[in-house]
Amino acid sequence: MAADDIAQLVNGLSKTHLGDGELSYKGQGLKLDNAESVEDLVQEIEQSQDLKVLRLEGNTLGVDAARAISKALERKDQLQRCYWSDIFTGRLRSEIPLALKSLSSGLMIAGTHLTVLELSDNAFGPDGVKGIDQLLRSAACHTLRELRLNNCGMGIGGGKILAEALMECHRQSSLAGTPLRLRVFVAGRNRLENEGASALAKAFQMMGSLEEVHMPQNGINHAGVTALAAAMRLNPDLRVLNLNDNTFTKRGTLAMAQALGHLRNIQVINFGDCLVRCEGAIALAAVLKEGLPVLKELNLSFGEISEGAALVVAQALMDKTHMEKVDLNGNCLGEEGCEALRETMESQDKGDMLASLSDDEGEPGEEDDDDEGHDDEEEEEEDGGNGSNGCNGCDEEDFVEENGTERNEESPSKSQCPEEVFSFLDCPSAEKLLELGEMRTHLLLEVNILDPRKPVEVLLKVASLYSEEGMVKTTVLETFDMLLRKLLCGSALQAYTTLSTLLVFLGVLKGEEKRKKVPLAPGLLLCLEHAVQQDYLAKHHISLLHTILSKNPEALKSCNGSMDRFRSALEKRCLE
């Protein structure tokens, strides 16, 4: 051994911590290439009678050094926690799997019962995951509680291998009578993308024991987010969910909001830089309104959220007594919007909880509105327009529910619907609506939170027929009431997604889907004027409508008379 290496090792050993079952070489920057270079480390491992924690972070291990350490670990059956992050700096990628397999072998031979395995900041890629595959499947990991693999470059392939290993571990541990109950999973910055995230979601569903999930910056979009949402729903003890810097968009956010509605223990939600956008923010506000009783931190920063939607979120925090921090920085509020948000938070004695708004992007301009919806152009082409007026046609194919979304039991299937209903939806007319009679109850074919547009389009078709002619007016208003009541009487999430979609059609809320601009029908505003006077619109429904409308009053100026009547009725309800 060279003199410099000996000096380095001696200096490192002087910093070694040994006690309470812990042996720590953390952060010593040792270059451990071979068996000779780890003689003293091996000796300390062998002499530790009750070794429970081994910390090797911040050193670099070669294959031969790993083999020597592994041999020493073969008799350490009490070892529970391995903190081995950043232990391969400067190593060839081909070396890392061999070193990991050696270390794993020692743990398995010893019959350890690991509770913590920390391997973050080791850029080992999919091959590195293969290096710990057998360990994760073995009895040594049946007791695993924390698995930390942040910044390891696993990729899609590594994510799939990891998922299979965890599922096999759960199967085998269940057969042994002690099912794997992983509590903390960390895998940020791993390029998992949709396939890797979806594979892991299956493992998460199987375990159902997660308390913390950290998967930021993984290139996951709405498909992967939706899969993760379905998995999170089945982990009732979840406390921390960090998916920062992935791409939710509206569809992913709606799925995640639906899952959050089932989680009563969650304390920290980090959806920053996830393109939650306006409709997604309002959906999350609905969940805040109705659930999440112990929430402490909410991060919706850099999500392209407008002033109105941000205010709806802030208003939903009113009863959150445990709230400590709300981050809405980097959105599209504008100066006046930032001030309005601060005032809203201060009015609830929560002003000190609001994070800085120094990076606000300002109000979206007309160019932004014109460019919106680039994520959903293909979907719009399939849908064939908004169908709010005239004979634009309606999609007669069954809506395929994503990821097992529950179907509203009261919503009849297509096969149960009379042909007259299809005829009306295909080309609405007052005469057809009158002829439907009791069949009007079939107009809402499906109610699905993940696709709120279709029922709203039915509302628009009915409202487009408004007339002052007695029988037509009565029938239109009765039908509009019946449909809207049904859409609002479910969960807050269903109600808020309905209202936000309606506001998008009105042009007062920035939507995600690209739509052809159609003239605003005064009949819709007159139907809404009638609706806001009915008891099925609760106070918080009225507040949502008023908040969004007050921030974009110019959108309804083409229908001044009906707009004034609607706004007057809305303000009257606000004062009640």
Side-chain angles (χ1 to χ4, degrees), residues 213-217 239-246 248 256 260 266-274 276 284 295 297-301 325 327:
V213 174
H214 302 264
M215 296 176 67
Q217 207 171 344
R239 294 182 295 105
V240 178
L241 181 57
N242 176 8
L243 294 174
N244 188 287
D245 199 8
N246 290 291
F248 283 32
M256 194 57 72
L260 290 172
I266 198 155
Q267 297 176 13
V268 178
I269 296 173
N270 186 343
F271 294 162
D273 206 9
C274 284
V276 166
L284 292 172
L295 187 66
E297 295 184 21
L298 175 66
N299 185 344
L300 297 179
S301 59
K325 183 179 179 181
D327 193 346

Side-chain angles (χ1 to χ4, degrees), residues 157-186:
K160 289 181 176 180
I161 295 168
L162 177 61
E164 285 297 329
L166 289 173
M167 288 191 287
E168 180 62 19
C169 183
H170 186 271
R171 283 190 286 265
Q172 295 302 321
S173 60
S174 296
L175 289 174
T178 55
L180 172 64
R181 292 192 58 79
L182 191 68
R183 294 173 185 163
V184 178
F185 180 82
V186 181

Side-chain angles (χ1 to χ4, degrees), residues 219-238:
I220 307 169
N221 67 29
H222 70 85
V225 172
T226 300
L228 288 172
M232 295 305 103
R233 178 174 174 173
L234 298 178
N235 285 265
D237 294 325
L238 191 68

Side-chain angles (χ1 to χ4, degrees), residues 31-70:
K31 191 170 186 291
L32 307 173
D33 294 326
N34 49 42
E36 187 181 4
S37 68
V38 293
E39 283 180 353
D40 292 297
L41 169 58
V42 166
Q43 185 177 2
E44 286 200 72
I45 292 174
E46 290 174 342
Q47 291 176 351
S48 177
Q49 298 302 310
D50 61 345
L51 184 63
K52 294 182 175 63
V53 183
L54 180 58
R55 310 195 72 115
L56 300 176
E57 310 103 303
N59 300 289
T60 176
L61 272 64
V63 176
D64 291 338
R67 286 174 180 155
I69 295 170
S70 173

Side-chain angles (χ1 to χ4, degrees), residues 274-493:
C274 284
L275 283 185
V276 166
R277 293 180 172 149
C278 299
E279 292 172 275
I282 290 174
L284 292 172
V287 182
L288 287 166
K289 184 75 179 176
E290 200 169 54
L292 306 178
V294 295
L295 187 66
K296 294 181 178 180
E297 295 184 21
L298 175 66
N299 185 344
L300 297 179
S301 59
F302 298 93
E304 295 189 1
I305 299 170
S306 69
E307 175 189 357
L311 291 175
V312 172
V313 171
Q315 291 163 1
L317 297 172
M318 185 177 298
D319 299 323
K320 293 291 171 281
T321 56
H322 299 275
M323 187 61 68
E324 297 174 0
K325 183 179 179 181
V326 181
D327 193 346
L328 286 162
N329 193 23
N331 284 297
C332 306
L333 310 185
E335 290 185 18
E336 291 184 4
C338 289
E339 186 58 33
L341 180 59
R342 292 189 189 98
E343 289 177 359
T344 299
M345 294 295 290
E346 288 170 1
S347 70
Q348 303 174 36
D349 293 325
K350 291 180 169 62
D352 57 341
M353 300 176 190
L354 184 63
S356 169
L357 298 173
S358 59
D359 294 319
D360 186 72
E361 297 287 338
E363 296 181 66
E366 291 185 10
E367 289 184 9
D368 297 319
D369 292 334
D370 291 338
D371 291 339
E372 72 186 23
H374 52 83
D375 299 302
D376 294 275
E377 288 182 21
E378 291 183 8
E379 181 181 339
E380 173 61 24
E381 289 174 6
E382 293 173 4
D383 290 343
N386 62 36
S388 62
N389 283 297
C391 303
N392 292 325
C394 64
D395 182 8
E396 294 195 7
E397 294 184 10
D398 288 327
F399 175 71
V400 179
E401 295 173 319
E402 298 179 52
N403 297 286
T405 301
E406 292 180 358
R407 193 180 286 231
N408 188 321
E409 293 181 1
E410 296 182 0
S411 298
S413 67
K414 289 256 184 180
S415 61
Q416 297 173 305
C417 283
E419 290 184 8
E420 292 88 342
V421 171
F422 293 125
S423 176
F424 172 79
L425 292 173
D426 186 54
C427 190
S429 71
E431 182 180 3
K432 288 181 181 179
L433 183 64
L434 291 170
E435 290 174 353
L436 282 178
E438 294 300 318
M439 290 185 288
R440 286 178 288 156
T441 58
H442 293 281
L443 284 172
L444 286 182
L445 301 179
E446 302 289 350
V447 176
N448 190 299
I449 288 171
L450 296 186
D451 187 25
R453 296 170 304 164
K454 287 180 170 59
V456 171
E457 286 170 357
V458 176
L459 275 175
L460 297 177
K461 289 176 180 180
V462 171
S464 69
L465 305 176
Y466 182 90
S467 165
E468 290 298 332
E469 192 274 313
M471 184 59 72
V472 173
K473 178 180 178 179
T474 300
T475 304
V476 166
L477 292 179
E478 286 180 353
T479 307
F480 193 88
D481 272 346
M482 176 192 70
L483 300 178
L484 189 55
R485 183 190 298 271
K486 186 172 184 178
L487 291 168
L488 299 186
C489 71
S491 66
L493 179 57

Side-chain angles (χ1 to χ4, degrees), residues 4-22:
D4 289 345
D5 290 336
I6 294 174
Q8 182 189 39
L9 183 58
V10 170
N11 182 56
L13 288 173
S14 68
K15 301 175 183 176
T16 300
H17 170 71
L18 180 62
D20 300 325
E22 177 178 312

